[in-house]
Amino acid sequence: RPIISVVIPVYNVEAYIERCVNSVRNQTVENIEIILIDDGSPDQSPVLCDQYAEKDRRVRVIHKKNGGLSDARNVGIEAAKGEYLCFVDSDDYIQSTMLEHLVKAVDSAGVNLAITNLKTVDEHGNRVFRVEQSPIMDGIFPAEELLPKLYQEMGWYYIVAWNKLYHRSLFEKLRFPVGKNT
């Protein structure tokens, strides 16, 4: 059983999918599954997804009719077998140690959620937005302390699905509302 299920919704990203999937395939944590959800993409993304599944046994592809980002993530949650879930947008990429650091963080702190910092870059890797002044840079916060921090200046940037590691128990009854794009 994989320790982490990485869910990647895919739609019209043939120019970015290689960098994204390779960044997940090259993680220092190898006991992962990578679930590519082809959300009815009209470009060559579905073919590229199938090619990754042929190259790497950790990659699974689910082809589905277009239903939007939240619907694709929900399909990934249903298919996930890992103890933890991580969402990566298909036009993004992650550092090779990200999942290792997040697993260590949740294990050492005994929590169900870890949030990582991020860098916003353009297609050439140049920074376009700095988040170093975030109110949640380091620490372990109970929910009643964390939630107000997210609504401070620079905290809003963390109200996304894709920079976190979630224990799967958080999604026992929870799903993304279909029609939302964050």
Side-chain angles (χ1 to χ4, degrees):
R1 178 178 171 174
I3 190 164
I4 303 169
S5 297
V6 181
V7 176
I8 305 174
V10 176
Y11 185 81
N12 219 16
V13 288
E14 66 185 22
Y16 307 104
I17 190 73
E18 179 178 9
R19 187 171 192 176
C20 174
V21 173
N22 284 338
S23 75
V24 179
R25 290 176 62 214
N26 294 326
Q27 288 295 297
T28 53
V29 173
E30 292 184 13
N31 187 16
I32 63 174
E33 69 174 343
I34 303 165
I35 306 171
L36 301 175
I37 310 295
D38 163 35
D39 193 31
S41 188
D43 66 355
Q44 290 300 305
S45 296
V47 173
L48 297 170
C49 289
D50 289 337
Q51 289 173 356
Y52 285 114
E54 290 173 14
K55 290 181 200 174
D56 191 327
R57 62 173 176 68
R58 299 173 302 169
V59 177
R60 282 193 291 147
V61 181
I62 299 172
H63 298 282
K64 60 179 275 318
K65 181 180 162 204
N66 181 259
L69 180 60
S70 293
D71 185 56
R73 286 179 178 156
N74 290 337
V75 168
I77 292 167
E78 295 296 327
K81 297 178 181 161
E83 181 179 353
Y84 297 101
L85 293 169
C86 180
F87 301 96
V88 177
D89 285 355
S90 52
D91 60 346
D92 294 342
Y93 57 95
I94 60 177
Q95 291 184 325
S96 63
T97 57
M98 181 181 129
L99 297 179
E100 177 184 356
H101 288 299
L102 288 172
V103 168
K104 285 180 181 176
V106 295
D107 285 348
S108 67
V111 296
N112 289 328
L113 171 70
I115 302 173
T116 184
N117 203 354
L118 52 103
K119 291 180 185 176
T120 305
V121 297
D122 63 19
E123 60 272 4
H124 306 292
N126 301 313
R127 275 197 153 169
V128 295
F129 186 74
R130 296 194 177 273
V131 292
E132 283 83 3
Q133 301 304 314
S134 170
I136 57 170
M137 284 301 284
D138 289 306
I140 299 169
F141 306 102
E144 57 274 1
E145 203 177 305
L146 175 64
L147 291 175
K149 290 177 180 289
L150 294 174
Y151 291 97
Q152 294 178 22
E153 185 176 355
M154 300 304 292
W156 62 268
Y157 210 74
Y158 290 85
I159 305 175
V160 294
W162 42 257
N163 66 335
K164 299 166 183 66
L165 184 72
Y166 308 84
H167 192 272
R168 76 174 297 113
S169 64
L170 295 174
F171 286 95
E172 284 177 9
K173 296 179 182 173
L174 205 65
R175 293 296 180 269
F176 289 95
V178 175
K180 296 278 183 179
N181 288 322
T182 57

